[in-house]
Amino acid sequence: MATLPLCLAIGAYDHVRNVCDGAGQVTGIDLTVLQLPVEEMFHRFLVHEEFDASEVSFAKIVALAAQDDRRFVPLPIFPSRVFRHSSIYVRSDSGIAYPGELAGKRIGVPEWAQTAAVYSRGLLAHEHGVDLASIEWVQAGVNEAGRREKVALELPQGFRLEVIAECSLSDMLLAGDLDAILSARPPGPFERGDPRIRRLFPNYRDVEIAYARKTGIFPIMHVVAVRREVYERDRWLAMSLFKAFDEARRRSLERAASMTVSHFPLPWVADALQFARELFGDDPWPYGIEANRTTLDAFLHYAFEQGVCRKRVAAETLFPLELQQTFKI
């Protein structure tokens, strides 16, 4: 049978390994895989549409969908998931000890529509009662000046967002011009061990576990999306990609569960997987809609109320109908 050539850009995750190395069959597709840095991959796909399919920011895809920009078709495949209590940074001398004390402060974000920032603002508002409109928001690059928003925004009435092109968030935090930073990428001085910057939640893992138990949310950062013209020409490829990624994910979990050999260069990997299963159930990293309903609904709500989305987006309208019907996901 003839195969369809397809160029895919994706991160170098173990749970996509068997899609990338050919060990897992992608039915009907002759796959060329590019493994690239995240920022480069997102820019080349969303701005220049260089690849047929790519890993991409969940917030950017949702924002585009809300603007009726139909160039991309997201699939319910989630290669990156990260809790974001660890992504809130403050000055060590700020006196800020609790999330509620961020109300009325001046806080920096690298992009308003950064997925990590959407989750961080969501947990501040919904778990800690912080009025997001009370905050003076600043947008700039985390460690380098000049970063710009990638999608058009429509912030809710009363929200203030200042764009600063000439300084980085790290420099402004150290200078006292900011009280906090919400960012997936840590401030450079923090990574270098500068004691002037600390996490708001020093015990973030304990806080994130408690949050997961309370809310059922396991934050989705990235999705896999296909260019619409590629999808419309050969709709079956959505199913083929979903099955291949799901199988690769299953094999990765099997490797993690092994107590016989070390598939990962870390101790106690199997124990960590067992703990994740106790927290999330037998499948701690599911794909599809229904298995991720709580997280998807929460994120789509946050994105709308924060002005990342101009209108409400439902998970059922975001992902291809044929995947929902066949997998009942």
Side-chain angles (χ1 to χ4, degrees):
M1 180 180 73
T3 56
L4 174 72
L6 191 83
C7 180
L8 167 71
I10 193 81
Y13 309 102
D14 185 79
H15 49 278
V16 307
R17 181 173 115 189
N18 294 128
V19 173
C20 300
D21 64 10
Q25 184 180 13
V26 188
T27 304
I29 296 175
D30 181 11
L31 201 60
T32 298
V33 177
L34 302 176
Q35 294 187 312
L36 302 168
V38 167
E39 289 87 352
E40 176 186 348
M41 178 167 50
F42 291 1
H43 181 78
R44 289 172 65 179
F45 185 63
L46 292 174
V47 177
H48 301 293
E49 301 182 44
E50 288 189 38
F51 322 118
D52 299 312
S54 180
E55 176 184 356
V56 70
S57 158
F58 190 28
K60 301 299 190 300
I61 280 292
V62 168
L64 292 173
Q67 297 169 25
D68 294 322
D69 184 331
R70 294 172 51 80
R71 289 176 297 147
F72 308 104
V73 179
L75 309 180
I77 299 165
F78 310 120
S80 179
R81 310 179 73 138
V82 185
F83 287 95
R84 287 307 179 189
H85 294 72
S86 62
S87 301
I88 305 174
Y89 301 89
V90 298
R91 287 195 325 279
S92 298
D93 64 356
S94 66
I96 297 172
Y98 304 102
E101 295 175 324
L102 292 176
K105 295 297 193 289
R106 185 171 163 88
I107 300 177
V109 291
E111 293 178 29
W112 188 261
Q114 184 189 61
T115 309
V118 174
Y119 280 109
S120 295
R121 291 191 299 263
L123 70 90
L124 288 176
H126 291 273
E127 296 301 311
H128 300 284
V130 176
D131 180 3
L132 300 181
S134 74
I135 292 170
E136 188 178 344
W137 297 98
V138 174
Q139 185 270 313
V142 180
N143 297 310
E144 295 180 2
R147 183 164 175 172
R148 294 291 183 178
E149 202 73 44
K150 304 295 192 303
V151 296
L153 301 173
E154 196 168 295
L155 268 61
Q157 187 173 4
F159 277 58
R160 297 164 292 164
L161 178 63
E162 180 184 2
V163 177
I164 295 183
E166 62 275 12
C167 298
S168 72
L169 297 179
S170 294
D171 289 341
M172 286 188 278
L173 185 64
L174 289 176
D177 295 329
L178 293 176
D179 298 296
I181 295 174
L182 311 183
S183 176
R185 185 180 298 280
F190 178 85
E191 287 193 302
R192 294 190 293 271
D194 192 320
R196 293 175 294 173
I197 299 177
R198 61 176 171 83
R199 284 190 166 101
L200 176 62
F201 297 100
N203 60 331
Y204 64 86
R205 183 177 178 186
D206 293 339
V207 176
E208 288 170 351
I209 290 170
Y211 171 81
R213 286 194 170 119
K214 177 185 176 183
T215 67
I217 295 171
F218 185 0
I220 292 167
M221 295 292 120
H222 304 164
V223 300
V224 173
V226 180
R227 285 195 298 116
R228 182 163 294 277
E229 64 180 280
V230 175
Y231 166 76
E232 295 290 357
R233 187 174 61 235
D234 295 285
R235 287 195 169 207
W236 55 266
L237 69 82
M239 183 74 68
S240 186
L241 285 171
F242 184 92
K243 288 181 176 179
F245 274 100
D246 198 49
E247 175 64 14
R249 176 194 62 83
R250 186 187 63 78
R251 293 188 184 188
S252 180
L253 290 172
E254 288 177 353
R255 288 190 290 272
S258 174
M259 299 287 287
T260 305
V261 295
S262 301
H263 289 281
F264 303 91
L266 292 169
W268 307 300
V269 171
D271 295 333
L273 176 58
Q274 181 58 37
F275 176 76
R277 283 178 165 155
E278 291 169 2
L279 188 60
F280 296 111
D282 289 342
D283 188 353
W285 196 288
Y287 295 157
I289 294 176
E290 285 309 321
N292 293 283
R293 172 66 66 181
T294 299
T295 299
L296 291 171
D297 287 351
F299 181 81
L300 294 172
H301 177 68
Y302 299 161
F304 173 70
E305 72 176 4
Q306 296 174 20
V308 172
C309 291
R310 295 182 177 181
K311 63 182 181 182
R312 292 188 182 274
V313 176
E316 287 78 7
T317 64
L318 191 62
F319 300 107
L321 182 61
E322 58 267 31
L323 287 182
Q324 299 175 44
Q325 290 175 333
T326 301
F327 283 96
K328 295 184 175 58
I329 54 181

